[in-house]
Amino acid sequence: MSGNTTPVLTVLRSVGTAGNNHNADGDVVYVYEMPVRLWHWINAAATVVLALTGYFIGSAVPTMPGEASDKFLFGYIRFAHFSAGYVLSVGFLLRIYWAIMGNSYAKEIFCVPIWRRGFLDELWQAIRWYAFLSARSKKTVGHNPAAQLMMFSMFTLTTAFMIATGFALYAQGSGGESWQFSLFGWVFAILPNSQDVHTSHHLGLWVIVTFVLIHIYAAIREDIMSRRSISAMISGERDLRD
């Protein structure tokens, strides 16, 4: 062996505590566990399928050439939409389970600690950072307060809303005796007009699309401008660069 010593990179396998989002003492921190990463990419794929098929379900082409009995395009679109909806729903339930069983960072998209001392100040600092009013951002391991608030309001709540309204609309086809109607029929007690449920569900699509665009932009921006790598959702480890 040569006389040069290879530097040893200390990897902190920190599971953290609830609400712990402070500066790390090491260079690399284990943030996102395998179930979270697996869910993230499966959920992303399901969301793409749901968004594309949902758009065509809500804004279908006016006509198709040829004999109607030879066409099943809309049936395939609906099947893909329903299948992706089941994948997203089961994944969301498993994600809630892992928020309970996983480390502190697995809970961030479900719980915004607005009661924590200093949270509002950190939120304001993060907003200033995103608005290009601050030259430096506070180094955080998980989501910063602004990202956490955005994830909860635009993703978690909207996903729950889309699942509820989606299965309620599905129940109209499966019938009043189905489990879909038993669990989600209450949606029509709030919005008795089925078209209102359709419209609300379709509007939810654009909330999700807006969130995805902001999410991708913010992730790339953080990698370029701040000291945090975006590869954590692939490897699970976040490189906190100086």
Side-chain angles (χ1 to χ4, degrees):
M1 296 180 60
S2 63
N4 295 332
T5 340
T6 305
V8 178
L9 183 63
T10 304
V11 179
L12 303 180
R13 299 286 180 178
S14 170
V15 295
T17 56
N20 182 20
N21 197 24
H22 302 99
N23 293 354
D25 295 328
D27 297 316
V28 176
V29 181
Y30 186 65
V31 182
Y32 300 120
E33 299 158 304
M34 175 59 75
V36 173
R37 305 198 307 273
L38 185 63
W39 165 82
H40 176 274
W41 296 111
I42 292 176
N43 183 79
T47 299
V48 170
V49 174
L50 284 165
L52 291 175
T53 55
Y55 174 80
F56 286 112
I57 289 173
S59 306
V61 292
T63 185
M64 290 289 294
E67 180 61 39
S69 60
D70 296 332
K71 306 297 179 184
F72 196 65
L73 176 62
F74 203 74
Y76 291 130
I77 291 174
R78 283 167 57 87
F79 176 77
H81 191 78
F82 297 154
S83 300
Y86 274 102
V87 171
L88 181 136
S89 302
V90 173
F92 192 70
L93 290 176
L94 293 175
R95 184 63 179 83
I96 294 174
Y97 168 78
W98 197 255
I100 299 171
M101 302 301 295
N103 62 19
S104 62
Y105 307 111
K107 302 173 176 60
E108 288 185 333
I109 67 171
F110 294 100
C111 181
V112 182
I114 57 175
W115 59 85
R116 180 169 59 80
R117 170 179 278 185
F119 178 84
L120 294 180
D121 290 337
E122 293 173 11
L123 175 62
W124 176 242
Q125 292 173 12
I127 292 174
R128 285 177 53 83
W129 162 248
Y130 285 122
F132 296 96
L133 297 176
S134 177
R136 299 285 283 178
S137 66
K138 181 179 179 180
K139 187 187 291 187
T140 55
V141 178
H143 295 297
N144 65 47
Q148 196 170 353
L149 186 62
M150 183 70 70
M151 291 285 293
F152 177 76
S153 59
M154 290 192 70
F155 172 76
T156 305
L157 293 183
T158 305
T159 299
F161 173 81
M162 296 296 278
I163 291 172
T165 53
F167 275 113
L169 293 170
Y170 189 90
Q172 290 188 311
S174 58
E177 301 300 321
S178 65
W179 68 265
Q180 291 92 347
F181 189 84
S182 299
L183 291 180
F184 300 100
W186 53 268
V187 171
F188 294 108
I190 301 174
L191 296 172
N193 189 332
S194 176
Q195 185 57 50
D196 291 338
V197 181
H198 274 276
T199 302
S200 300
H201 191 73
H202 196 66
L203 288 175
L205 158 68
W206 294 111
V207 175
I208 292 292
V209 169
T210 303
F211 164 77
V212 169
L213 294 175
I214 295 173
H215 181 60
I216 294 174
Y217 161 75
I220 296 174
R221 182 184 187 273
E222 285 294 292
D223 188 64
I224 295 173
M225 299 186 62
S226 75
R227 302 165 300 240
R228 305 190 307 160
S229 66
I230 61 174
S231 61
M233 201 49 76
I234 298 175
S235 65
E237 298 174 343
R238 171 152 286 153
D239 180 11
L240 298 171
R241 300 188 296 266
D242 293 328

